[in-house]
Amino acid sequence: MACNEDKSSEEPKEDLAEQVEKEKIIEFGFDQSLYEFKRDTIKKGDTFGIILERHNIGYPKIFQIAEKAKDTFDIATKLQVGKPYTLLYSKENANDSIQKPTTFIYQQNLEDYVVIDFKDSIQAYTKTKPITYVEKTATGIIENNISETLEKQGLSQVLAYKMADDIYAWTIDFRRLMPGDRFKVIYTDKYINDSIYAGVHDVKAAYFEHNGDSLYAFQFETDSIKGIQDYFNEKAKNLRRAFLKMPVKFGRLSSRYNLKRRIAYYGNRVRPHKGTDFAAPVGTPIMATANGTVIESTRRGGNGKYVKIRHNATYSTQYLHMKAQNVKKGQYVKQGDIIGWVGMTGNTAGPHVCYRFWKNGKQVDPFKQKLPEAEPISDSLKVKYLDYIKPIKKRLDEIFFIETQAKETENTITEDPITDIQ
Ligand SMILES: [Zn+2]
């Protein structure tokens, strides 16, 4: 209901269907009235040679084809089990006693395919099916969680991932959404050949009401050469922070920064914990939480194997108890780069990464920091940006929320007991 297709895609379909009937049907660039299409999928043990041999092509010819095609597509190694292929048979030769295909078409994925044509001369080329993007809008009101809100409307969960991981990862904790929180999105869906739905492509703009805050997000390209896109709010502030919230993707916060921690093992005396522990299985990748230079990658005492990164004059971060490091001293790393793997080296009772956040030479609680904004929009682009978002913001503002009917269900809000991150 709340998913409205853009008006431009609504065209009268009847006339079109009649025209199509009279028109040639072309698939993979071949006319269906001239060729018979035999479709199959690559089976275990299939090779290009075996398939053609099975269809009455002799070996000298197969070698000749493979040799000519190899610059375009190495048929000896690249056929993957389960992928579709099509053999074309010319209808001109329909009365021949031995039927031989003229063309082999292999589909690497939904979009790309390889044609090996050996009807007359041997030709091999790769092609891409035409892709169209359809702009759509959607709204939702949270009752229990965002997945359920999307599912009720038949909307893709990818919208939730995009909003939670790419757009609002630093500003909204999606595990703590409240009933009544609501959102609007303008996004594009991808279609192949106008007909095959290939999922949500991109979110162009979003609006989220959470905890009394209204958060706008607009996608904008800040570097067309490098193709860098980020989300900014209506005042051109970057929604991303310079630091990731945690150095592991799926980790459980097992011990917070706590200067008054008491541990029974130490006679219940205060043993401050200046790190933040994330429990995760041995081997889980550990990511640099921000761009910076590795200043230590070594093994020492209770720290075990660890890496320390200097981000700027103010901030450094440190990652302890690694199984192994993946970076060397002096190396420059980017946010999200894998710098090592979770282990149990040094003093630790179980596999975890102890994340230490240094500000001006002192260890502080990363969750209590107002972290700096990532790469702000340049002054020269700011005017352009504000101009660019004006009509998009207007569109967002004009989308109405559609109240989904209040249902009497026994849904209880289940709290995830193992997450404790703000
Ligand atoms: Zn720790």
Side-chain angles (χ1 to χ4, degrees), residues 273 275-277 321 352-356:
H273 182 225
T276 307
D277 291 345
H321 315 307
H352 75 279
V353 54
C354 182
Y355 177 52
R356 305 199 157 193

Side-chain angles (χ1 to χ4, degrees), residues 271-333:
R271 296 277 303 191
H273 182 225
K274 292 184 176 177
T276 307
D277 291 345
F278 296 95
V282 170
T284 302
I286 299 170
M287 300 175 292
T289 53
N291 299 351
T293 305
V294 176
I295 50 169
E296 285 178 79
S297 178
T298 184
R299 177 173 194 147
R300 196 186 309 139
N303 286 359
K305 291 185 182 175
Y306 72 93
V307 167
K308 191 170 182 182
I309 301 169
R310 182 186 188 273
H311 304 291
N312 53 36
T314 312
Y315 296 104
S316 299
T317 54
Q318 201 180 357
Y319 313 78
L320 314 185
H321 315 307
M322 286 180 171
K323 181 179 178 226
Q325 296 100 328
N326 193 35
V327 288
K328 290 198 170 69
K329 191 178 167 178
Q331 197 175 325
Y332 183 76
V333 291

Side-chain angles (χ1 to χ4, degrees), residues 5 7 61 69 71 79 91 110 112 126 139-141 159 192 247 251 264 275 286 309 317 320 331 335 342 378 401 410:
E5 288 212 12
K7 287 248 161 50
K61 177 91 178 178
D71 290 340
L79 296 185
K91 289 186 178 171
L110 286 175
D112 306 307
T126 53
T139 70
I141 301 170
L159 288 175
I192 297 159
I286 299 170
I309 301 169
T317 54
L320 314 185
Q331 197 175 325
Q335 185 180 65
V342 171
S378 69
F401 287 106
E410 282 182 62

